[in-house]
């Protein structure tokens, strides 16, 4: 059965290591027959949540006028969400964090999702990426019916493209192919 997969690439660098892993995951998922869309978050205009809760009084419409309503609808409509971020100071990058925070406008409508996580970082140790994974899990814990399906750790990569020479590159493709 074909699934609707939304990949949220938080990398601010087009062709950066986490972005390349997203491409490989996407290639595998497309070959497996899924409907896949990758969104480069840095290419969207998405402001940060100010906690004004206008959305709670307006039926889920945010006071900010940007690209988030369209992206949020894609998240609601997806069967699978892939969250991908480079690790900055042991945590998620600002671009993807803004998206996660802005789901508050309609957060109860994002439900029954399968989650995959992709992280990259210069440090060789996976432990350095665990806080980023915990950020992703924190969001998934707020999604009713969420199921974690897999994690790709791109360790020891800094310069764009370095990830191509790692096991994570092959793992991303295989994980995309394995979506069921």
């Amino acid at each position: 059965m074909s699934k609707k997969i939304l990949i949220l690439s938080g990398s601010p660098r087009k062709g950066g290591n986490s972005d390349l892993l997203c491409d490989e995951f996407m290639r595998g998922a497309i070959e497996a027959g899924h409907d896949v869309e990758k969104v480069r978050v840095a290419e969207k205009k998405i402001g940060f949540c100010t906690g004004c809760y206008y959305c709670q009084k307006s039926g889920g419409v945010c006071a900010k006028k940007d690209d988030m309503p369209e992206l949020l609808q894609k998240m609601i409509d997806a069967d699978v969400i892939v969250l991908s971020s480079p690790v900055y100071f042991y945590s998620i990058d600002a671009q993807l964090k803004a998206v996660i925070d802005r789901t508050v406008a309609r957060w109860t409508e994002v439900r029954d999702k399968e989650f995959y996580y992709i992280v990259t970082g210069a440090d060789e140790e996976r432990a350095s990426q665990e806080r980023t994974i915990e950020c992703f899990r924190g969001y998934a814990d707020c999604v009713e019916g969420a199921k974690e399906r897999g994690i790709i750790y791109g360790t020891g990569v800094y310069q764009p493209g370095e990830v191509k020479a790692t096991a994570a590159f092959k793992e991303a493709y295989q994980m995309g192919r394995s979506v069921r």
Side-chain angles (χ1 to χ4, degrees):
M1 178 176 122
S2 178
K3 291 190 175 179
K4 190 171 199 162
I5 300 173
L6 178 64
I7 300 173
L8 298 178
S9 176
S11 178
R13 297 190 300 192
K14 187 173 186 169
N17 292 307
S18 59
D19 196 45
L20 290 171
L21 292 180
C22 288
D23 289 343
E24 282 302 288
F25 186 100
M26 181 170 63
R27 185 170 72 90
I30 289 170
E31 286 182 16
H34 299 292
D35 176 18
V36 185
E37 180 178 3
K38 180 180 109 173
V39 174
R40 286 193 25 76
V41 174
E43 294 174 357
K44 298 292 182 185
K45 181 182 176 197
I46 299 175
F48 59 88
C49 181
T50 61
C52 70
Y53 294 108
Y54 175 85
C55 59
Q56 302 305 304
K57 298 175 252 174
S58 65
V61 176
C62 183
K64 293 187 181 284
K65 304 303 175 210
D66 58 12
D67 295 332
M68 190 59 198
E70 177 186 353
L71 184 55
L72 182 50
Q73 188 61 54
K74 290 174 191 259
M75 293 174 75
I76 291 166
D77 294 341
D79 300 306
V80 175
I81 297 175
V82 179
L83 299 175
S84 175
S85 177
V87 175
Y88 292 160
F89 295 100
Y90 303 112
S91 191
I92 188 174
D93 72 344
Q95 292 85 353
L96 191 54
K97 182 65 168 118
V99 168
I100 289 170
D101 290 349
R102 288 284 302 284
T103 65
V104 72
R106 296 172 61 196
W107 73 276
T108 60
E109 295 176 63
V110 182
R111 61 168 88 76
D112 300 320
K113 306 300 176 201
E114 295 178 16
F115 283 96
Y116 291 84
Y117 308 135
I118 297 173
V119 293
T120 58
D123 197 313
E124 296 283 342
E125 301 298 320
R126 281 188 178 186
S128 299
Q129 298 176 343
E130 286 304 323
R131 287 187 194 144
T132 303
I133 297 301
E134 287 306 312
C135 286
F136 292 157
R137 286 179 175 147
Y139 175 63
D141 283 348
C142 297
V143 173
E144 184 179 327
K147 294 179 179 81
E148 182 178 310
R149 295 292 192 213
I151 303 171
I152 302 295
Y153 293 92
T155 58
V157 295
Y158 180 71
Q159 295 300 324
E162 284 181 333
V163 76
K164 290 180 181 180
T166 69
F169 197 69
K170 294 178 187 87
E171 289 170 12
Y173 169 78
Q174 291 299 332
M175 194 169 287
R177 283 213 33 104
S178 73
V179 174
R180 300 280 175 251

